Amino acid sequence: MAHALIASPFLDGHLLLKPGARAGARISADHYEGLRQTATDGGSLPTWAVQTAADMWGLDLDGQTAQGTVLVREPSSYGYCRASWEINLGCNFGCKHCYLGERPFSGLAWEEKVRLLDIMREAGVLWLQITGGEPTMDPDFQGAYRYAWQAGMMLTISTNGSLLWRPDLLRLFRDCPPYRLVVSMYGASEESFDTLTQRRGAWKAFRRGMDAAREAGLPLRINVVVTEDNASEADEMAALAGEWNVENHAYTNMTPTIYGGGEPLLAQSATHLRQRKPFAGCNAGHTFFHADPHAKVSICKVGRDDQIDLMAEGIDGLTRLGAIADRLMLRTGGCEGCALSGTCRVCRPLAKHYQEAKAPLHSYCQHGDKENAS
Amino acid sequence: MTPPVPVTILPGPPTSARRAAPPVATVSITAVQDLDVIVESTECSCDAGDDNPH
């Protein structure tokens, strides 16, 4: 039976959530423990939970037992709250700017996917982004999605939208609502869209998928990807997303490929490049992590050095990730000895990535920016 | 010839770039109208990763 609510630890607190809902509630440790006990004992949902569900989401859960109504996530000693998973790098588009570079169609066998998701659940992952490649193309996508959802995760899918018209996918998202579907938009016309994605028919597939997803009322967000090929349509793309009443965000700065290639940078629109947000530290590797198609885990999508093979090491491999994160944040390599490191505001793994791609200094270093401007 | 210029070597970044967790509810129930505020915060998200369209 599908759960109506999720109660879960989250960082140093606790949350009460409705699967797929944008709104939630912070609850106290006492509330969480009480709910956990009630779910074990087979008691009725406590009054505060019934009231919160009514107030927050308009649910009528009066008289329901806690067990079966609330999925209570167990506390985890690993301390993670979020993860991303490239289920398969295979993709039906061939975008020029893609940071994945080569996109081999391969991933874990079904049993290993289940094991990875079990590890994520045990590690405390509450929000999971399933991405690709085009994730919905993976033969196990629907099974893995459903398994993760039933494990009490809030799911975000990053997709090109081209397959969202499929009835089986629409049924899946109706039965197990996602937290969000993030769809990339690569143009506002057939010509620019198909040129950037290097696939004839990509625009039509995107429109068909978006029409179906909007009609189904799915929680969409659009990533407007602005590159040289579609730069003249940047405003039109945002306007189209607005016309559809879908929240959207423009992405203009591309990243070198995960293999250190600078090709995506060549696809950028020079006139649309934006100054990078100052980096002020992050919890990569400590509260969130990234898994590639073969369950090789890194601190994030950018810092992929020193990957941990979760299929070989099991969940205890994650205990090494925090130290890896701290090491990757140190100024080494091209930044070693920089006299300006005290005022550096650039993510070190990101800088290393650009340096390996032999990108110009000003494209990743704010001090390089000043030098460039002077 | 240009005279030598004194340079101050500043300390590097801290060993750990971790941030503190956000405040949590301890005694009551607090509505969070937009969970993105906590999910996409730097406590559990990546500043650099959002530059990663694919």
Side-chain angles (χ1 to χ4, degrees), chain A residues 22 179 186 251 276 283 287, chain B residues 34 36 43 50-51 54:
Chain A
R22 182 82 169 255
Y179 181 69
Y186 302 114
Y251 288 88
R276 204 173 288 281
N283 283 349
T287 60
Chain B
D34 184 359
D36 281 0
E43 283 77 21
D50 71 359
D51 274 333
H54 68 283

Side-chain angles (χ1 to χ4, degrees), chain A residues 16-353:
Chain A
L16 186 65
L17 306 167
K18 176 176 178 283
R22 182 82 169 255
R26 290 185 188 274
I27 60 175
S28 69
D30 288 346
H31 280 128
Y32 167 77
E33 286 299 341
L35 200 49
R36 188 178 172 211
Q37 193 59 51
T38 308
T40 305
D41 297 344
S44 295
L45 209 56
T47 306
W48 67 263
V50 172
Q51 191 62 49
T52 303
D55 293 346
M56 293 297 304
W57 308 293
L59 296 177
D60 180 8
L61 300 179
D62 196 19
Q64 301 285 314
T65 57
Q67 195 175 45
T69 304
V70 186
L71 191 154
V72 180
R73 296 286 308 272
E74 290 297 306
S76 169
S77 60
Y78 294 90
Y80 292 99
C81 62
R82 192 177 187 193
S84 50
W85 176 27
E86 285 161 348
I87 189 170
N88 194 321
L89 298 191
C91 189
N92 53 347
F93 288 0
C95 299
K96 296 174 184 175
H97 64 277
C98 183
Y99 70 88
L100 295 172
E102 298 165 30
R103 291 178 286 272
F105 192 92
S106 66
L108 298 170
W110 169 247
E111 295 75 16
E112 294 171 317
K113 286 186 171 92
V114 168
R115 186 166 172 231
L116 174 63
L117 291 168
D118 285 343
I119 288 173
M120 287 180 170
R121 180 189 57 198
E122 197 178 335
V125 171
L126 181 55
W127 265 272
L128 173 63
Q129 177 201 40
I130 304 179
T131 181
E134 173 46 44
T136 61
M137 285 177 60
D138 185 86
D140 295 324
F141 169 78
Q142 294 192 37
Y145 177 97
R146 193 178 290 274
Y147 191 87
W149 194 93
Q150 288 173 341
M153 294 183 202
M154 301 282 272
L155 299 174
T156 292
I157 309 302
S158 293
T159 172
N160 61 32
S162 62
L163 301 173
L164 289 179
W165 55 269
R166 279 173 37 179
D168 52 348
L169 277 178
L170 293 171
R171 266 196 306 276
L172 176 70
F173 295 143
R174 181 198 62 201
D175 295 346
C176 305
Y179 181 69
R180 177 168 291 136
L181 298 180
V182 181
V183 184
S184 298
M185 181 191 273
Y186 302 114
S189 70
E190 183 168 12
E191 185 183 354
S192 69
F193 201 104
D194 289 5
T195 299
L196 178 59
T197 58
Q198 303 188 98
R199 289 292 183 278
R200 188 172 293 174
W203 166 250
K204 284 179 179 159
F206 165 75
R207 290 298 299 257
R208 186 182 183 194
M210 285 302 294
D211 287 348
R214 286 165 53 227
E215 191 178 329
L218 295 175
L220 296 164
R221 174 185 281 179
I222 289 179
N223 280 350
V224 175
V225 180
V226 181
T227 72
E228 191 61 31
D229 281 332
N230 63 19
S232 63
E233 296 177 0
D235 292 340
E236 283 177 71
M237 287 192 279
L240 186 56
E243 191 183 306
W244 289 340
N245 204 22
V246 175
E247 61 179 288
N248 59 92
H249 184 79
Y251 288 88
T252 59
N253 295 33
M254 306 303 146
T255 310
T257 72
I258 58 175
Y259 307 105
E263 302 89 330
L265 306 181
L266 301 175
Q268 296 178 127
S269 167
T271 54
H272 286 82
L273 289 179
R274 290 193 293 226
Q275 193 160 28
R276 204 173 288 281
K277 277 190 300 182
F279 177 76
C282 88
N283 283 349
H286 293 282
T287 60
F288 63 94
F289 61 83
H290 175 71
D292 81 358
H294 301 285
K296 304 283 197 307
V297 163
S298 56
I299 66 167
C300 65
K301 292 177 194 166
V302 173
R304 296 186 187 227
D305 288 348
D306 301 338
Q307 288 179 312
I308 294 167
D309 185 344
L310 280 191
M311 291 299 102
E313 295 191 39
I315 190 168
D316 283 343
L318 290 175
T319 59
R320 299 197 291 113
L321 203 54
I324 290 172
D326 291 346
R327 192 165 62 248
L328 293 181
M329 291 295 174
L330 294 174
R331 305 288 123 175
T332 54
C335 295
E336 194 163 16
C338 174
L340 301 170
S341 63
T343 55
C344 181
R345 296 189 302 166
V346 178
C347 162
R348 173 57 197 149
L350 186 75
K352 181 168 183 277
H353 206 46

